[in-house]
Amino acid sequence: MKTENVDNIPLSTDYTDFCGHYQVLQLEDEGKTVFEVPILLRNYLDKNQNVNIRLLTDGSWDMVGKTTTSIIPPFGSTVMKFFFKQVSYNGIEELNLFLKNENNEKLVRIQGINYKEVFIPSFIGESRE
């Protein structure tokens, strides 16, 4: 399992009332590459925050699992886990999400989407002699 890029997603300019962190994990599913992106969201306010996340680059990417909304309790946190497959290699290759909470909207560009080739059997090594 490969872990890439942990990033901060602040949604406030005056002070931090809401932020997020994500990781990108490359997985294999029936011979196809899938990217798992768990997003940790933190609420620093004394009230619930409704959060909605949706896929912006839906022409090139498919989001597996459609749970895109969550309510984060006051001073609490939650993890929303998403799985993405690239379905088209024409046009936009970036993975972009739209994140919206009570008072803010943010374009989130997921970094760390790098393909790692897996050869079965191994392309080099003792077994290939």
Side-chain angles (χ1 to χ4, degrees):
M1 185 182 310
K2 180 179 166 184
T3 302
E4 290 281 338
N5 212 6
V6 177
D7 221 348
N8 191 23
I9 311 167
L11 289 180
S12 178
T13 54
D14 299 334
Y15 60 94
T16 301
D17 60 357
F18 182 81
C19 73
H21 301 273
Y22 68 85
Q23 291 182 328
V24 175
L25 307 170
Q26 182 175 329
L27 309 172
E28 297 295 321
D29 180 31
E30 297 179 4
K32 297 190 178 190
T33 302
V34 177
F35 294 98
E36 178 183 348
V37 181
I39 302 175
L40 170 66
L41 300 169
R42 297 178 192 264
N43 178 11
Y44 294 109
L45 294 178
D46 59 357
K47 63 178 184 173
N48 286 340
Q49 289 215 37
N50 294 317
V51 178
N52 185 351
I53 296 177
R54 66 181 172 90
L55 180 63
L56 282 180
T57 48
D58 57 355
S60 299
W61 292 89
D62 185 27
M63 183 167 67
V64 181
K66 303 296 182 186
T67 305
T68 59
T69 59
S70 183
I71 298 174
I72 305 173
F75 305 109
S77 61
T78 190
V79 174
M80 297 176 75
K81 190 182 294 189
F82 300 95
F83 294 90
F84 298 98
K85 290 182 184 179
Q86 191 167 8
V87 294
S88 171
Y89 297 94
N90 299 328
I92 300 174
E93 292 186 17
E94 297 173 336
L95 177 55
N96 296 323
L97 304 177
F98 181 73
L99 193 148
K100 181 177 180 180
N101 70 342
E102 299 295 323
N103 301 313
N104 298 290
E105 297 177 348
K106 178 87 173 168
L107 168 71
V108 179
R109 182 167 288 127
I110 301 295
Q111 304 291 318
I113 302 291
N114 299 315
Y115 285 94
K116 178 181 76 174
E117 296 297 326
V118 177
F119 295 101
I120 300 173
S122 299
F123 192 63
I124 58 173
E126 293 178 15
S127 62
R128 293 289 289 184
E129 291 182 14

